[in-house]
Amino acid sequence: QVSLVQSGGGSVQAGGSLRLSCAVLGTTTTPGPYCMAWFRQTSGKDYEKVAAIDVDGTPRYDDSVKGRFAISRDNAKNRLSLQMDSLKPEDTAIYYCVSVPCDQLGTSYDVYDDWGQGTQVTVAS
């Protein structure tokens, strides 16, 4: 079973930067390549996928963060990162890392089993 342990985040003013990391512990139980992603949840809203990355490092971004966020992974260390620059108040949310078989990445997050504990990101005006 896989455990995801997050760190980083915090509070900054608009235009500032923060970094999130996610350590992946354990071994996956489903065969095949695993992709990883960052989701966020604002107060009273649904989860939103902001960035994803496949096993070879190819990134994907939601339009709302493209050009400002950068996702990366270190497969040897089983670690996922999200560099967040030019932060806006609308980026305020709880951020979660997830690990999912790559062929399921396009499906609803409801089918994902492996989530980090969540990290608060707050961007003030």
Side-chain angles (χ1 to χ4, degrees):
Q1 196 69 32
V2 173
S3 297
L4 307 179
V5 182
Q6 298 180 217
S7 60
S11 300
V12 296
Q13 72 279 9
S17 298
L18 289 171
R19 186 175 180 87
L20 302 175
S21 65
C22 176
V24 183
L25 308 177
T27 304
T28 59
T29 58
T30 302
Y34 273 71
C35 291
M36 301 192 71
W38 289 97
F39 282 74
R40 67 186 180 189
Q41 184 183 41
T42 58
S43 181
K45 297 184 180 298
D46 201 5
Y47 295 95
E48 175 189 17
K49 184 171 67 178
V50 299
I53 189 167
D54 63 16
V55 67
D56 68 359
T58 302
R60 309 166 191 170
Y61 299 100
D62 185 81
D63 288 341
S64 65
V65 305
K66 188 175 297 183
R68 301 187 298 115
F69 290 11
I71 188 173
S72 62
R73 68 187 296 173
D74 185 334
N75 291 333
K77 297 180 179 180
N78 289 327
R79 185 172 297 273
L80 176 73
S81 298
L82 184 68
Q83 178 66 41
M84 302 178 290
D85 298 325
S86 301
L87 283 162
K88 304 175 181 180
E90 65 193 60
D91 295 317
T92 295
I94 301 176
Y95 285 72
Y96 299 86
C97 63
V98 300
S99 178
V100 59
C102 291
D103 61 1
Q104 297 181 15
L105 187 60
T107 65
S108 171
Y109 66 83
D110 299 274
V111 306
Y112 301 171
D113 291 328
D114 300 316
W115 294 72
Q117 79 274 20
T119 303
Q120 178 69 49
V121 169
T122 301
V123 185
S125 300

